Structure formats: C-alpha cells, structure tokens
Amino acid sequence: MSIEEKQKPQRNDRVTIRTVATHAGVSVAAVSKVMRNAYGVSDALRARVTDAIETLAYRPSRAARGLRGRSFTIGVLLIDIRNPFLPEVIAGVNEVLGPSHYQAMIGVSDARVQLETSLIESMIDYKMDGLILVAPRLPSEILATFAVQIPIVAVGYHDASATAFDTVNAEDQRGAEIAVEALLACGYRDIEMLSLGERQGHAVSVVRQREIGFRRAMQRGGLGSSPTISKIPIASPKREEVMRKFLSRKDRPRAVFCWSDLDAITLLSLAMEMGVRVPEDLAVIGYDNSSTAALGLVNLASIDQSGRELGQVATRALISRIEGRTASEHIFQIPSLVSRNSLTRFGNSTDR
C-alpha cells in the first residue's frame, strides 16, 4: 500500500478539517483561511489545501460550522423571480462564491412584507453567515434591526443614510437620464414614462429613482416641469389592460421609457398584436438589458446596469462584512445604453 493510500481514510472514516490539514502538511488555521478565501493566502498553500480537499473528498459539516459561529452559507432573497434581470445577479454572486467555499441558498418572496420578513428570520435561524437582499420592500429601520443579527447587503435599495447595512445599486437616476437623452438625440420630443404602481418600499426602490431621473432629464431638455409618468398596476391581468389602453390612446406619445424590461417586452408584444409599429409609431427603451431584450425578435433598446457586476460587488461587500468590517458602504455602478431597433432603425433620427 502506498503512502498516499495509507493517508487516505477508509470509507467509514469521517474526514474532518484536521484530516485535511494533516494530509496537506499545514495547520488547521491555514485550511480555514483557504476555505474562507482569506486575504494573503499564497497560491502554493491554496493548491496544497485544495488538492487535499479533493483527494479526501472532504465535505464540511455545515451544522458544525454553524455551532462554531460560521456556516459558510449566505442567503440570497429575491422578491420577484419573474424579472429576467435576476439570473444575472445570481450569476455574479456565484462567480465570487465559487473559489471562496461559501455557498448561496436562495429564497423567493413575492413582495409581501410578512413573507419577506419570515424568510429573513428563517435564514438567520439556519445560522447563515450573511444575507444579500435583492430589491427588499422592508423599511430601513426593520432591515437595520435584522442587520444587528446578521451582515446584510441590499441590492436595488436606495438608502444612502443606512449605517447598519450596505447597499449596492446602479445609478438609477442617471440611467433614466441616459434613456431620455437618447430619445432626444433621435429627435423625439413627445416622451412618456411607464412606471410601476407605488407599493410598500417605493421610497427606497429603483422605480422611484428612475422616475426622478426621468423628470430631471425631461425638464433639462425643455419638455415641461411635469412630464407624464403613467403607472402600471402590479398584478396581472390589470397590468396588460393598462398597457393596451396606453397603446390605444389617441394622444399616445411617440416614445416611451419603461421602468424595466419586464414591462417593456410585454409592451412590445402587445404593440405587435395591436398593429402599433416599433419604432415607426412608438419608440421604446427598457431598463436592465436582460437577455430577452437582445433576442432578434425583441430587439429592445435598454439601459444596462450590469446585473452580474452588481451581484459580484454585493457578494464581495458581504464577505467583507462577514470578515469584520463595520463601516457601511453604499456602492454605485454607472449604467449605459444598449441601442437596438426599438429606438431607431438604421440610425435614422428625423423629427418626431
């Protein structure tokens, strides 16, 4: 029997972190640092420990980790799984977690405060090390109460005054401004915004920030002090009914900025069904630059806030919190426009 075979435990032996440390010829603390992806770990040490983990088929006990104060599990709470923007955020989270030995556990709410609160409490009870909340609806004071118990990073939550938790956002006001500026550059002057009906959490939501940016850009462009913002109901089928009425209006605008691709894509579908040509009769810009927006049959111009990068930044911020950082951070990403056929075909920019 070779030395390597002697070192490898038998099938019924329990492989522990000490077994890994012995096999790699390092301390238990060194193995822990590698598993936490801690700062200052050399490539050589990481390779030795990783090789030992793979050779021994080491699978850490998350229950035991939780009892010791660290489970290497983070919770990701999503409010609305229908939004095509969310898979990119999750991909960014997983890219950062991959080499860190942390794992994500995903919970899905439906924008109900009671369910959202219950899910957060469950994640705390399961001894998760931290939480990434995507577009939470809870008031800041409630999030702050939870943040005393567990590190929290909120994505798509605009509260720069928060001190107990971090926020990661796109510059949503600037994103809306970019959309209006693009429409103006193409010659459109009759522009409206399709926004989401207000609900709990609106004050800190991305929707409100995009409305602020839309109004500011319209005023700066000389298009009035009170530009039109049409509100879309939250629930179907009223949501689609309102869009149909919008498309049927005799005074329908020549261009529209939608708060999200989620509704912009539905608007494009209804426009095709109703014989409204895009962009000849109606130019459309969405927000999120979702994968669906790029499909040839959709071809939706959209503001790109890079959901993948938001997920990456949020995860790094959370790990930093878990490792002991206490000062709050409020991080912003700069969005950009991805122009497609729903804005203008072949680069035409005549007066509209």
Side-chain angles (χ1 to χ4, degrees):
M1 182 179 292
S2 67
I3 295 176
E4 186 172 300
E5 288 174 329
K6 289 180 179 179
Q7 288 181 329
K8 190 168 183 177
Q10 299 301 310
R11 182 178 298 273
N12 293 328
D13 291 344
R14 179 171 174 268
V15 179
T16 67
I17 191 171
R18 293 185 182 280
T19 315
V20 174
T22 300
H23 189 279
V26 299
S27 67
V28 170
V31 176
S32 178
K33 284 184 176 181
V34 172
M35 294 181 65
R36 289 186 288 111
N37 198 27
Y39 177 77
V41 174
S42 68
D43 291 341
L45 174 59
R46 187 181 306 281
R48 288 172 65 184
V49 172
T50 301
D51 179 69
I53 289 172
E54 292 176 353
T55 300
L56 298 172
Y58 174 54
R59 184 173 180 271
S61 167
R62 298 198 177 276
R65 284 173 160 186
L67 290 173
R68 292 195 302 269
R70 184 73 63 86
S71 68
F72 288 89
T73 304
I74 69 167
V76 181
L77 179 60
L78 309 177
I79 300 302
D80 188 350
I81 196 64
R82 297 169 300 170
N83 196 322
F85 164 71
L86 294 179
E88 285 296 302
V89 177
I90 296 170
V93 171
N94 286 332
E95 282 180 7
V96 175
L97 292 184
S100 73
H101 295 283
Y102 282 92
Q103 289 187 349
M105 301 292 286
I106 297 175
V108 180
S109 180
D110 61 358
R112 286 188 292 143
V113 170
Q114 184 176 0
L115 178 57
E116 185 177 343
T117 301
S118 177
L119 286 170
I120 292 174
E121 291 172 343
S122 294
M123 289 177 172
I124 293 173
D125 290 343
Y126 276 104
K127 304 296 184 182
M128 294 186 180
D129 295 324
L131 302 180
I132 295 176
L133 311 179
V134 183
R137 298 284 180 260
L138 296 176
S140 293
E141 55 269 24
I142 294 181
L143 285 188
T145 301
F146 284 126
V148 173
Q149 306 172 60
I150 188 171
I152 289 177
V153 176
V155 179
Y157 191 90
H158 287 268
D159 183 7
S161 65
T163 57
F165 57 91
D166 301 330
T167 62
V168 175
N169 295 287
E171 287 274 11
D172 286 295
Q173 292 186 27
R174 180 59 193 145
E177 291 177 346
I178 291 170
V180 173
E181 290 165 2
L183 291 168
L184 292 173
C186 289
Y188 296 102
R189 306 290 293 176
D190 185 8
I191 307 168
E192 290 187 17
M193 178 180 179
L194 283 186
S195 187
L196 195 64
E198 294 187 13
R199 53 183 171 177
Q200 188 160 3
H202 184 73
V204 293
S205 74
V206 298
V207 182
R208 180 171 182 267
Q209 295 299 309
R210 293 168 195 176
E211 290 175 356
I212 292 171
F214 173 78
R215 290 191 183 97
R216 184 163 57 221
M218 292 287 284
Q219 292 169 4
R220 192 165 56 228
L223 301 180
S225 59
S226 300
T228 302
I229 297 179
S230 298
K231 301 286 187 174
I232 304 171
I234 295 169
S236 296
K238 290 184 177 180
R239 206 167 187 160
E240 290 75 16
E241 290 175 7
V242 168
M243 289 189 199
R244 287 181 184 277
K245 289 180 180 178
F246 170 83
L247 292 169
S248 300
R249 279 171 38 190
K250 292 182 178 180
D251 64 341
R252 184 187 65 225
R254 286 292 294 109
V256 61
F257 164 54
C258 284
W259 78 278
S260 169
D261 287 0
L262 183 66
D263 285 324
I265 292 169
T266 301
L267 186 70
L268 291 182
S269 177
L270 293 174
M272 179 179 293
E273 176 186 317
M274 297 172 64
V276 177
R277 300 172 302 166
V278 176
E280 293 85 355
D281 300 326
L282 178 68
V284 182
I285 296 181
Y287 204 113
D288 288 336
N289 191 33
S290 60
S291 58
T292 306
L295 295 176
L297 292 176
V298 179
N299 234 318
L300 172 67
S302 187
I303 300 299
D304 184 5
Q305 60 173 330
S306 187
R308 188 176 296 255
E309 287 186 19
L310 289 175
Q312 293 170 346
V313 171
T315 307
R316 293 190 187 103
L318 183 62
I319 292 176
S320 174
R321 274 275 191 184
I322 293 169
E323 297 295 337
R325 175 176 56 82
T326 57
S328 61
E329 292 184 350
H330 301 288
I331 305 168
F332 291 92
Q333 302 283 100
I334 304 300
S336 60
L337 172 69
V338 178
S339 183
R340 298 191 180 95
N341 284 359
S342 70
L343 174 59
T344 180
R345 295 191 194 280
F346 311 119
N348 293 335
S349 57
T350 57
D351 288 340
R352 294 169 171 85

